[in-house]
Amino acid sequence: QVQLVESGGGLVQAGGSLRLSCAASGRTFSSYVMAWFRQAPGNERDFVAAISRSGSSTDHTDSVKGRFAISRDNAKNTVYLQMNSLKPEDPAVYYCAAVYGTSLYRRADEYTYWGQGTQVTVSS
């Protein structure tokens, strides 16, 4: 079983940066594809980014390409989301997700394990 705990959310000025972390328990972290999703009030839980087991491949949704970067440190059982140049559409609850396998899915229902979420708020 995998337990995921997000941290690093908070209030940031528009145009600023924030780094989210997701710490995973267990001995098989490197066997899981990891992803970040976000959900704003009244919206669906939308894909943000995914990363392969080794970290060699990533996928980012168009709205965050060039601004956000997913990464992972398998030695620390941690996945990160570096968020730069934050925009008005970025505030949401951000969730870390994991699935055993190799495919970088964009659908939320493909992921088996989820963190509790961390709030990101952008101030004007």
Side-chain angles (χ1 to χ4, degrees), residues 14-100:
S17 298
L18 200 63
R19 188 181 75 165
L20 306 183
S21 299
C22 174
S25 65
R27 299 182 295 109
T28 59
F29 179 71
S30 63
S31 296
Y32 288 81
V33 168
M34 303 296 298
W36 287 96
F37 289 77
R38 64 186 180 186
Q39 187 168 20
N43 288 11
E44 301 292 328
R45 188 170 295 187
D46 294 326
F47 174 79
V48 177
I51 188 166
S52 63
R53 292 156 61 161
S54 68
S56 61
S57 298
T58 62
D59 182 30
H60 297 78
T61 194
D62 287 345
S63 63
V64 307
K65 286 181 179 177
R67 300 189 299 118
F68 292 9
I70 189 171
S71 62
R72 68 193 295 164
D73 186 341
N74 287 347
K76 297 182 178 180
N77 279 17
T78 303
V79 64
Y80 304 95
L81 184 68
Q82 178 67 48
M83 304 185 295
N84 299 325
S85 301
L86 283 158
K87 296 181 176 181
E89 67 265 30
D90 298 325
V93 177
Y94 283 71
Y95 296 90
C96 178
V99 62
Y100 187 89

